[in-house]
């Protein structure tokens, strides 16, 4: 990963399978690296938002259109084939991320990182239902 990674970490407790969380973080950091300029920064934040443990990964990459945001967690979906054709991948990474989050009673969302880039947010469970 040629980009700089910065972290802001707030100690918190959450229920999550550690191997699943590791796989999610690797996939999201890999995507952030693939779609960001080498001179960019990837920001990883662990915080409490609305009394819920939250992890965000924000990049300064090419971003994702509003139309594509609703599909990025689908299997085999790749954003803008013309743009991403040179970037390796199968379109399975984010589908796996979404499924692992669901299995751990977490929610994942995607939003814009203005002025450019993408933010993936994972809302973790404080306790299992």
């Amino acid at each position: 990963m040629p980009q700089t990674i910065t972290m802001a970490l707030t100690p918190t407790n959450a229920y999550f399978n550690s191997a699943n969380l590791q796989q999610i973080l690797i996939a999201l950091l890999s995507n952030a690296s693939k779609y960001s300029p080498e001179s960019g920064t990837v920001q990883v934040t662990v915080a409490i938002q609305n009394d819920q443990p939250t992890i965000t990964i924000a990049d300064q990459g090419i971003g994702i259109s509003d139309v594509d945001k609703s599909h990025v967690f689908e299997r085999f979906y790749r954003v803008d084939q013309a743009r991403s054709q040179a970037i390796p991948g199968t379109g399975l990474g984010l589908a796996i991320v979404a499924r692992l989050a669901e299995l751990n009673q977490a929610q994942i969302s995607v939003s814009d990182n203005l002025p450019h880039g993408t933010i993936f947010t994972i809302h973790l469970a404080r306790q299992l239902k």
Side-chain angles (χ1 to χ4, degrees), residues 27 54 81 92 114 122:
T54 304
Q81 291 294 326
L92 287 173
L114 299 175
I122 308 161

Side-chain angles (χ1 to χ4, degrees), residues 38-119:
E38 288 188 13
S39 61
T41 299
V42 176
Q43 173 71 39
V44 178
T45 304
V46 176
I48 304 295
Q49 294 179 359
N50 300 321
D51 200 37
Q52 190 171 21
T54 304
I55 300 171
T56 60
I57 297 180
D59 66 50
Q60 298 172 333
I62 58 178
I64 301 172
S65 74
D66 289 339
V67 171
D68 289 324
K69 282 186 190 100
S70 63
H71 298 286
V72 295
F73 297 112
E74 296 173 7
R75 288 181 299 163
F76 305 112
Y77 188 82
R78 302 266 334 257
V79 173
D80 189 355
Q81 291 294 326
R83 238 182 0 176
S84 63
Q85 197 169 20
I87 298 172
T90 61
L92 287 173
L94 292 178
I96 293 168
V97 164
R99 182 65 179 137
L100 290 174
E102 179 185 346
L103 288 171
N104 285 275
Q105 298 178 12
Q107 293 84 40
I108 186 163
S109 61
V110 60
S111 59
D112 293 327
N113 186 19
L114 299 175
H116 51 85
T118 303
I119 301 172

